[in-house]
Amino acid sequence: MSNEWPLFEVFIRGQHGLSHRHVGSLHATDAAHAIQNARDVYTRRKEGISIWVVPAAAITASSPDDKDALFDPADDKVYRHPSFFDIPDDAGAM
Amino acid sequence: MSVAGLIRLGDNTLVLGQRLSEWCGHAPALEEDIAIANIALDLIGQTQLWLGLAGAREGAGRTADTLAFTRDAWDFRNLLMVEQPNQDFAVTMMRQFLFDAWHFEALRALKTHDDAEIAAIAQKSFKEVTYHRERATDMVVALGDGTEESRTRMQGALDRMWPYAGEMFTTDADDLTDMVALRPHFDAHVMTALARATLTCPPSEFAHQGGKTGARHSEHLGHMLATMQVLPRSYPDATW
């Protein structure tokens, strides 16, 4: 049996940020405790105005073994970037 | 004559802040270590405000630093509870819970003090202490209503700390608000939390006294001050 508290992943939305960003992880006994710990560990220097915590066990991650199959095929498909179009001047900044 | 009352508030936050900082690097979990250090720093920050105002009002040239570092134990006016040694995590958390419950009510009363500077410090501190109280309360409930081991330790901590709670609700003319009037609110919060924590409050109303009047500090305060004051007393002109 492990004596470690469960692991939580922490997401913080910054003062001017639009979305929550992953900032790290911590241990806590439950979600409410994780919010308190996240407040103390990750927002001491005014880093954020909103905190999400997610049990690390609830996250399904892609396998590093699948890296070639998942990501390499995108390498030679530059045409998927929208950089081959002439943008009319009156469209303004994109 | 608010100086004596300001010194009481500042000495409470100073001594407890120093006690909590003793945990730095030693707490049972990294997250708790950082949380305790944060709370210690909040309390030291409040000390700068309370003792700074006390020094200014006194008008004798003393600053928050000189009040903190050049007075001896018999000049301190903190509650006996906050100078008690940390012992284990259970005692530290129980002491914090009881102190925060009183501190929260004291600051809530001081937020509307007629003296604008006192009210301003109380308003700033109240936000911090609202979080301190929430965290300590959750911890007492979690550990009290936890394993057999944690429950036994928390009940022992309560039995040990309860005789120091009564002094918080003694009052005299030096206090900036009537401390007796805070008791019903304190009891409501503490008794609710202790019930959730499955802990039993000792029936005795006996209360150790002599901290806030300076009449009888425990031997622990002098040892703590020796550690806290040694550097500025040995090197009075040190800067960093």
Side-chain angles (χ1 to χ4, degrees), chain B residues 1 13 36 43 61 68 72 76 80 87 105 130 134 140 168 193 199 203 208:
Chain B
M1 258 314 287
T13 52
I36 290 174
L43 293 174
D72 288 310
F76 274 73
L80 293 175
Q87 305 284 346
E105 302 300 341
T130 298
E134 177 188 314
V140 165
M168 302 193 286
L199 299 175
H208 294 290

Side-chain angles (χ1 to χ4, degrees), chain B residues 144-216:
Chain B
D145 186 21
T147 65
E148 195 52 43
E149 169 78 13
S150 71
R151 190 186 174 285
T152 302
R153 284 187 183 233
M154 291 309 283
Q155 184 63 53
L158 178 58
D159 294 346
R160 186 185 192 99
M161 279 297 145
W162 189 249
Y164 294 99
E167 189 186 16
M168 302 193 286
F169 305 101
T170 60
T171 204
D172 61 28
D174 283 343
D175 282 321
L176 301 181
T177 188
D178 176 14
M179 299 299 175
V180 178
L182 308 178
R183 183 91 208 213
H185 301 290
F186 170 89
D187 281 343
H189 178 80
V190 167
M191 295 308 163
T192 303
L194 292 180
R196 286 173 59 211
T198 74
L199 299 175
T200 310
C201 200
S204 171
E205 286 297 309
F206 172 75
H208 294 290
Q209 293 183 45
K212 65 185 282 184
T213 61
R216 195 164 49 245

Side-chain angles (χ1 to χ4, degrees), chain A residues 7-15 19-26 34-35 37-44 46-54 59:
Chain A
L7 190 67
F8 285 82
E9 299 297 332
V10 181
F11 300 81
I12 303 280
R13 183 153 72 86
Q15 208 83 31
S19 57
H20 289 71
R21 293 173 62 96
H22 184 238
V23 294
S25 56
L26 49 72
I35 292 277
N37 284 348
R39 181 263 193 197
D40 280 316
V41 176
Y42 292 112
T43 68
R44 301 164 27 121
K46 292 174 68 93
E47 289 92 338
I49 53 168
S50 172
I51 301 170
W52 288 351
V53 293
V54 179
I59 292 177

Side-chain angles (χ1 to χ4, degrees), chain A residues 5 26-27 33 36-37 39-41 44, chain B residues 29 31-32 34-35 38 131 134-135 138:
Chain A
W5 293 332
L26 49 72
H27 292 93
H33 188 209
Q36 291 182 348
N37 284 348
R39 181 263 193 197
D40 280 316
V41 176
R44 301 164 27 121
Chain B
E31 293 81 357
E32 297 305 320
I34 294 175
N38 281 350
Y131 178 71
E134 177 188 314
R135 191 170 228 292
D138 288 355

Side-chain angles (χ1 to χ4, degrees), chain B residues 39-92:
Chain B
I39 292 167
L41 285 173
D42 285 348
L43 293 174
I44 300 297
Q46 293 171 18
T47 303
Q48 287 182 317
L49 299 172
W50 290 127
L51 293 186
L53 185 57
R57 292 281 169 90
E58 184 185 51
R62 295 203 287 184
T63 65
D65 278 347
T66 51
L67 284 167
F69 293 125
T70 64
R71 283 180 303 150
D72 288 310
W74 50 81
D75 294 322
F76 274 73
R77 294 291 181 269
N78 57 280
L79 297 161
L80 293 175
M81 176 186 281
V82 296
E83 71 196 42
Q84 298 310 303
N86 291 336
Q87 305 284 346
D88 60 6
F89 193 68
V91 170
T92 298

